Amino acid sequence: MMNFSESLERFEFLLAQLISINNSNDNNIANETIAVSLALNINELSRIGLWKTFWNKPFYRGIKVAIADKWIKSIENLLGNPNSDEGINFFSNIEAQFKSNNKSLNSPENYEFSGKNASKLFNLNPNFPKDRLYQVCKFAKRMQLDSDRLVENIKKLYDEFCADCNSNDANIHFQEVLSFFVEKGWGCITILHGLTDLGYSVKPDIHFVRAHKFLSVPKYSSELKNPTCPKALSIANYYVYNSILNLGDIKKIIQKVAPTDYEKLISQNRLDEERVFLRYLDKVIMDFSFQNIVVNSKTFSSLIDMNKDNINLNSVSIDV
């Protein structure tokens, strides 16, 4: 794998392209602003912080955001604040059962719900996705009983990420985190997505992986499938370790290329600054692909070569 400092040169170039795109065509809602908002609003590693982070993830898994937003909106109309203890209590009081009947996992016939809260929900929306609701209800029950175990295992995983670029023990702690999400549907990428929202990981989905191929090894194959769980965990480990180790250089790049973002990111004087920058990094790397900035490797390498004079980490001096 390429030296991380070389990846940072490519990161600087791509970030400049992203901001140029965001500032063109009178685009008043720039994606780098969304990245800052996500970074400055990472959730606390607490019972409520974990619930707020994870409870709605099944509704967004593998589906258009607009559809999931409608499901979430119906819940908000019913509860008011599902991100709070109100949400934990509501879903944990729904009796949810899974029946194995040789149907596909997401078939409504596989699930039964009872209790007044279930009636309220299905009266509001008879077509509410039962497989996703089942995952949320079971998660809510475990949050009531054993949230401290999940907090402790996330801390151990992050410490392992930070200590070793290729940690053999990271998988052990990650499996402990996964054991909290036992129902089908809580996949590896979904869990890493939640950890990313907490500022403890990156989310190696199809967009992140596509950009990663250019940041790390430009001559990757063109295959862009989501990574397997071991590969996804390896990518997360790689970025957490190197981002923390090279945080000074990352700050230099952001200050140079996105000074407004940089001022916002450091203005909070937060003790969890490393996690703030890691969350920002995840979002902009994803946008390199989402905004079609990363192209084929030959074209990309040519663009890098033509702009080498503009890529210099030492061109900005800051205290870190």
Side-chain angles (χ1 to χ4, degrees):
M1 185 168 284
M2 183 177 295
N3 185 285
F4 197 73
S5 63
E6 296 181 58
S7 297
L8 288 178
E9 291 182 345
R10 287 161 172 74
F11 174 77
E12 179 176 351
F13 175 77
L14 291 177
L15 182 60
Q17 304 307 305
L18 175 64
I19 290 178
S20 177
I21 290 173
N22 288 335
N23 290 336
S24 66
N25 301 322
D26 296 323
N27 185 359
N28 294 320
I29 306 178
N31 279 327
E32 72 268 22
T33 301
I34 297 175
V36 170
S37 177
L38 289 171
L40 295 180
N41 288 282
I42 53 176
N43 294 327
E44 294 181 0
L45 189 57
S46 63
R47 176 172 173 271
I48 294 300
L50 287 168
W51 172 254
K52 182 179 179 181
T53 298
F54 281 103
W55 80 267
N56 62 3
K57 291 292 183 288
F59 295 120
Y60 287 93
R61 185 191 69 250
I63 201 165
K64 291 183 178 179
V65 172
I67 296 175
D69 282 345
K70 290 181 179 179
W71 293 335
I72 300 301
K73 185 64 177 177
S74 65
I75 294 172
E76 290 174 345
N77 290 337
L78 186 62
L79 298 185
N81 185 12
N83 291 325
S84 66
D85 273 318
E86 182 183 8
I88 298 177
N89 294 332
F90 179 87
F91 286 106
S92 64
N93 284 319
I94 294 177
E95 292 299 323
Q97 295 183 339
F98 175 78
K99 302 182 301 178
S100 178
N101 56 13
N102 297 320
K103 298 286 186 179
S104 64
L105 185 65
N106 61 355
S107 172
E109 296 178 27
N110 278 328
Y111 303 93
E112 285 186 353
F113 300 90
S114 60
K116 62 180 182 180
N117 288 349
S119 297
K120 289 179 182 178
L121 199 55
F122 287 110
N123 285 338
L124 189 67
N125 185 350
N127 297 318
F128 210 81
K130 292 184 176 181
D131 58 325
R132 300 167 194 264
L133 177 60
Y134 177 79
Q135 294 158 25
V136 176
C137 291
K138 293 300 183 181
F139 176 60
K141 287 184 181 295
R142 280 192 294 279
M143 287 301 297
Q144 283 195 323
L145 299 174
D146 200 16
S147 61
D148 289 344
R149 177 169 67 90
L150 182 56
V151 169
E152 186 63 26
N153 284 318
I154 290 174
K155 287 180 179 178
K156 289 180 179 179
L157 176 63
Y158 182 67
D159 288 343
E160 200 64 40
F161 276 170
C162 294
D164 188 344
C165 183
N166 297 291
S167 171
N168 292 323
D169 291 334
N171 183 59
I172 296 174
H173 296 304
F174 187 63
Q175 292 303 318
E176 289 295 325
V177 172
L178 282 177
S179 71
F180 203 87
F181 303 87
V182 296
E183 292 77 32
K184 295 289 186 180
W186 288 105
C188 175
I189 302 298
T190 301
I191 303 305
L192 287 172
H193 185 183
L195 296 181
T196 301
D197 287 348
L198 289 162
Y200 287 103
S201 183
V202 296
K203 183 185 66 162
D205 61 6
I206 188 170
H207 286 294
F208 191 99
V209 169
R210 183 182 288 136
H212 164 70
K213 291 177 180 180
F214 291 98
L215 287 169
S216 298
V217 185
K219 294 182 180 180
Y220 263 90
S221 70
S222 60
E223 186 178 355
L224 295 174
K225 293 181 180 179
N226 285 342
T228 61
C229 187
K231 181 63 175 178
L233 185 64
S234 176
I235 292 173
N237 193 166
Y238 173 78
Y239 274 94
V240 173
Y241 175 82
N242 282 292
S243 296
I244 303 306
L245 185 66
N246 297 276
L247 186 59
D249 284 340
I250 292 171
K251 285 183 176 181
K252 288 181 181 180
I253 290 172
I254 298 172
Q255 185 187 28
K256 175 185 175 183
V257 181
T260 302
D261 285 8
Y262 177 79
E263 291 301 323
K264 291 178 180 177
L265 291 171
I266 66 168
S267 65
Q268 305 298 310
N269 193 27
R270 297 173 63 127
L271 296 177
D272 51 2
E273 181 184 65
E274 292 177 346
R275 293 196 291 128
V276 168
F277 277 90
L278 183 62
R279 185 66 185 93
Y280 176 90
L281 193 69
D282 172 86
K283 172 59 178 171
V284 296
I285 289 175
M286 184 276 290
D287 276 341
F288 294 158
S289 167
F290 192 74
Q291 296 289 346
N292 294 315
I293 297 170
V294 290
V295 288
N296 67 72
S297 58
K298 182 178 180 180
T299 302
F300 178 82
S301 298
S302 299
L303 289 171
I304 288 290
D305 290 339
M306 290 184 340
N307 287 273
K308 278 185 176 178
D309 291 340
N310 297 324
I311 300 174
N312 182 3
L313 292 177
N314 297 319
S315 62
V316 177
S317 177
I318 60 175
D319 295 325
V320 294

